[in-house]
Amino acid sequence: MKKRLLLLASLLLVLLLVACGSGDEETDNEAAAETNGTTEENSNALSEDKLVVGVTAGPHEQVFEVVKEIAAEDGLEIEIVSFTDYIIPNTALAEGELDVNSYQHKPFMEQFNEDHGTNLVAAFPTTLSAIGVYSNTLNDINDTPENAKVGIPNDPTNGARALIIFEEAGLIELDEETRENATPLDIVTNELNLEFIELDAAQLPKMLEEVDLAVINGNYALENGLDPLKDSLFTESSDSPYVNQLVVREENLNDPVIEKLKSYYYSDEVAEFVLEEFEGAYQPVWK
């Protein structure tokens, strides 16, 4: 009887030790999971010592060179990566090769997100560059001939933006229901029988010899020796929704370094540079 009691007591002791051990292991696992979760969460945060910034060549790159100098004085290193198109800087940002980018307006970003399943968000507005109509042969948009060839950007948002300009100039009418995302197929009135040719935005300045008119973004106009204030025949209205934005991944929107970057960008030095360098073709939106 005593042996049975001793055996039973031993079994209970073993079970108790195993249970305690399992509890400790479970607690350790939970702690480890919490630690790993915290580490994983923190690994997505942007460095407060260095940022990699994507820009398009031209004005956006020039502005960020000024921002870079101001940031360096405050101990933040900025590496600028320049691109010659509108798609790759967003792809690079979404894939983590860039920390932020600065070159696009919100409608373009939102369309990119929809098309590519990305989660890019606008952190703060930067500058406005009015898109304009240019020609090597015409001096007035009202002199546009019948059957004229018109080059417009082939990306969805800038393409619609270009068509809206021609509607504002009174040359076409768009379907009101699809106006904000219009394509040439949404033109309901085209009395001059204008032929709209969709081309890569960066190529449009080089195609002025091949078309009667072309709608060109401000940065590409400046890169190719065109003065948006003097050379454009017609520009979009001043209340344009197409203000350029500094863009980040959604998880980095509230990173403290973004607020610091905003303070550098919104400095008097940057505002003065934009106004003087681009002679009004670009406007600092914070002024």
Side-chain angles (χ1 to χ4, degrees):
M1 184 68 178
K2 289 182 179 180
K3 290 182 179 180
R4 290 180 180 177
L5 289 174
L6 287 172
L7 180 59
L8 181 60
S10 298
L11 288 172
L12 289 173
L13 180 60
V14 169
L15 290 173
L16 180 61
L17 290 172
V18 170
C20 290
S22 299
D24 291 342
E25 183 178 351
E26 183 177 348
T27 302
D28 290 342
N29 288 339
E30 289 177 357
E34 290 176 2
T35 301
N36 290 337
T38 302
T39 302
E40 183 177 350
E41 181 178 349
N42 289 342
S43 68
N44 292 328
L46 298 178
S47 168
E48 294 195 39
D49 298 319
K50 179 179 179 179
L51 288 178
V52 181
V53 179
V55 295
T56 47
H60 294 294
E61 181 177 13
Q62 291 173 260
V63 171
F64 243 97
E65 290 290 353
V66 181
V67 176
K68 177 179 179 177
E69 293 178 5
I70 298 170
E73 294 174 0
D74 197 35
L76 174 64
E77 179 185 353
I78 291 179
E79 177 185 345
I80 299 173
V81 182
S82 181
F83 298 86
T84 57
D85 80 326
Y86 289 160
I87 300 299
I88 297 177
N90 272 346
T91 302
L93 176 59
E95 294 177 352
E97 296 174 13
L98 302 174
D99 295 317
V100 306
N101 69 35
S102 179
Y103 72 96
Q104 65 191 310
H105 49 65
K106 193 176 290 186
F108 182 86
M109 179 199 71
E110 291 172 346
Q111 186 65 50
F112 183 91
N113 281 336
E114 182 178 335
D115 292 343
H116 298 84
T118 49
N119 64 339
L120 307 182
V121 296
F124 58 84
T126 56
T127 59
L128 173 63
S129 172
I131 197 170
V133 181
Y134 297 80
S135 175
N136 279 356
T137 58
L138 302 174
N139 295 317
D140 191 320
I141 197 168
N142 293 318
D143 295 332
T144 301
E146 291 187 18
N147 304 311
K149 294 182 179 180
V150 182
I152 63 173
N154 63 3
D155 63 273
T157 50
N158 281 309
R161 188 180 179 188
L163 292 173
I164 290 171
I165 289 179
F166 276 86
E167 184 177 56
E168 290 177 348
L171 299 182
I172 62 172
E173 289 183 15
L174 298 170
D175 186 332
E176 189 60 33
E177 293 184 1
T178 58
R179 184 173 184 268
E180 297 303 318
N181 299 296
T183 72
L185 296 176
D186 297 301
I187 299 172
V188 295
T189 302
N190 185 4
E191 294 181 356
L192 293 177
N193 194 33
L194 303 180
E195 179 185 355
F196 288 93
I197 303 169
E198 297 174 282
L199 300 166
D200 182 79
Q203 297 302 314
L204 284 166
K206 300 176 177 62
M207 294 300 295
L208 281 173
E209 295 291 339
E210 308 295 328
V211 297
D212 298 289
L213 299 158
V215 180
I216 302 174
N217 292 76
N219 60 314
Y220 291 135
L222 290 171
E223 282 179 34
N224 289 273
L226 297 170
D227 186 327
L229 293 181
K230 298 177 182 178
D231 296 331
S232 62
L233 306 185
F234 196 87
T235 58
E236 63 191 339
S237 56
S238 58
D239 60 350
S240 168
Y242 299 100
V243 173
N244 295 313
Q245 304 281 335
L246 183 123
V247 173
V248 300
R249 292 180 294 277
E250 186 175 25
E251 63 264 28
N252 299 129
L253 180 59
N254 296 316
D255 280 20
V257 70
I258 298 300
E259 193 61 32
K260 291 174 64 176
L261 186 61
K262 180 180 179 180
S263 70
Y264 307 144
Y265 205 111
Y266 279 21
S267 65
D268 291 339
E269 294 96 317
V270 172
E272 290 171 6
F273 175 81
V274 171
L275 292 172
E276 293 176 7
E277 180 69 19
F278 306 119
E279 300 178 346
Y282 278 71
Q283 294 289 332
V285 298
W286 65 97
K287 287 291 185 181

